[in-house]
Amino acid sequence: MGDIIDGKAFAATLRQTIAGEVNALKSERGVSPGLAVVLVGDDPASQVYVRNKGRQARETGIQSFEHRLDMDTPEAQVLDLIRDLNADPRVNGILVQLPLPSHMDAEKVLQTIDPLKDVDGFHPVNVGRLTVGADAMAPCTPLGCMMLLTDRLGDLSGLEAVIVGRSNIVGKPMATLLLRENCTVTVAHSRTRDLPAVCRRADILVAAVGRPNMIQGDWIKPGATVIDVGINRIEGEGGKTRLVGDLDFASVQPVAGAITPVPGGVGPMTIACLLHNTLIAARRQLAMLPPR
Ligand code: GUN
């Protein structure tokens, strides 16, 4: 029976470390890092995420600036807001919650964020820097997965890693980070032939497709470390909604060496890594880290 990787506990410890470092920054330099979160529209899942980001930032001693805009806000107004936040010295990190309403060009919005304040790591400059192996802000969810993997496995060199999903938010940056750690990386997706056979090669399997309970126990190499990035709301017994991942947990856990649960696995790590990136951004802007 595979061990359960407790992302909730790991994230709590990470937040404590960050809180200590934020405190040190306050006493040494008299400043608190600031994180601005921009939410456009009223998507219920995004509202929950944004609320949690703000609360956990404050609990860590990071100032939270929340900007909630109506669904039909013109794109130009969002771009103006981002330019103001770029120029605001109290704001060290800027996050625009995705997805944006369909009348907006998400690429254009993300490219307006100052790369030094891009705590999501979605700006093409940061994507490029990460890809060529330069110092860059790494996207929060893949960064959280890497922390859990290295904590569990130590050196990842030479391991076979399979990622299911090729999104810009998780799949592609996850591949970059695993390659940096010398894994042999396969990115599988909806057109992959014989997906179960590809998954069975994996010492490390990362599921990031957004399809409830898709990946089955007989797709797993015995002893593999399995990371579930999926957060799917499904209707459970009695009409109540509940969260499930992309893995069929009941059949995967007996075969895996270790597995992240949903909830309580990768999810809490994403926000902790956002706070981590905000602290790094603040230090760089205060010239406490070398310029890039
Ligand atoms: N929507 C889903 N995941 C994310 C994320 O990591 N960052 C942002 N900005 N939006 C998201």
Side-chain angles (χ1 to χ4, degrees):
M1 199 56 112
D3 298 334
I4 291 187
I5 298 175
D6 189 346
K8 194 173 168 190
F10 195 104
T13 306
L14 180 56
R15 286 198 307 273
Q16 261 178 14
T17 308
I18 297 167
E21 293 176 12
V22 166
N23 233 334
L25 191 66
K26 265 185 217 168
S27 44
E28 285 163 30
R29 305 289 287 260
V31 285
S32 308
L35 170 67
V37 178
V38 179
L39 171 62
V40 189
D42 47 16
D43 177 69
S46 291
Q47 283 180 331
V48 174
Y49 292 139
V50 167
R51 207 168 36 241
N52 287 339
K53 285 167 185 171
R55 180 173 48 78
Q56 293 191 24
R58 286 187 293 278
E59 284 171 7
T60 319
I62 293 174
Q63 300 179 79
S64 169
F65 305 97
E66 289 163 36
H67 297 268
R68 291 161 199 276
L69 305 173
D70 288 341
M71 185 74 175
D72 52 8
T73 305
E75 183 185 272
Q77 193 179 324
V78 176
L79 299 181
D80 281 344
L81 171 61
I82 292 172
R83 291 189 194 103
D84 287 346
L85 296 171
N86 285 342
D88 187 340
R90 296 171 307 162
V91 172
N92 303 110
I94 303 170
L95 176 144
V96 177
Q97 185 65 33
L98 301 178
L100 285 165
S102 55
H103 68 275
M104 280 186 205
D105 178 350
E107 278 306 309
K108 194 165 156 194
V109 171
L110 295 178
Q111 287 186 31
T112 306
I113 299 173
D114 180 344
L116 285 172
K117 295 191 175 185
D118 170 36
V119 283
D120 253 335
F122 293 164
H123 191 291
V125 164
N126 281 320
V127 176
R129 293 183 67 96
L130 196 70
T131 306
V132 298
D135 185 27
M137 209 67 93
C140 306
T141 300
L143 182 60
C145 293
M146 290 306 291
M147 288 182 185
L148 296 178
L149 283 169
T150 50
D151 180 63
R152 168 84 196 174
L153 297 170
D155 184 8
L156 307 184
S157 254
L159 296 178
E160 287 279 346
V162 174
I163 303 157
V164 189
R166 54 174 155 181
S167 69
N168 291 336
I169 294 181
V170 183
K172 286 181 202 161
M174 191 74 220
T176 305
L177 291 175
L178 286 164
L179 195 54
R180 256 191 169 186
E181 296 304 318
N182 307 310
C183 291
T184 303
V185 181
T186 303
V187 182
H189 47 77
S190 53
R191 305 284 175 90
T192 295
R193 277 180 286 147
D194 200 353
L195 182 60
V198 173
C199 291
R200 255 177 240 125
R201 294 208 301 256
D203 302 307
I204 294 171
L205 182 67
V206 179
V209 265
R211 287 185 52 191
N213 302 326
M214 181 178 109
I215 292 173
Q216 301 294 312
D218 62 355
W219 302 16
I220 306 296
K221 178 175 175 175
T225 303
V226 186
I227 305 286
D228 195 347
V229 181
I231 300 182
N232 309 292
R233 265 163 235 275
I234 62 165
E235 197 155 308
E237 279 162 37
K240 274 195 174 170
T241 62
R242 63 187 184 98
L243 291 183
V244 298
D246 293 345
L247 303 173
D248 179 42
F249 191 90
S251 68
V252 171
Q253 191 195 4
V255 189
I259 181 170
T260 62
V262 177
V266 173
M269 291 301 293
T270 295
I271 301 188
C273 287
L274 172 67
L275 306 176
H276 167 84
N277 279 351
T278 304
L279 175 65
I280 304 280
R283 283 193 185 139
R284 196 170 308 277
Q285 286 156 45
L286 292 164
M288 294 169 80
L289 292 176
R292 295 204 311 217

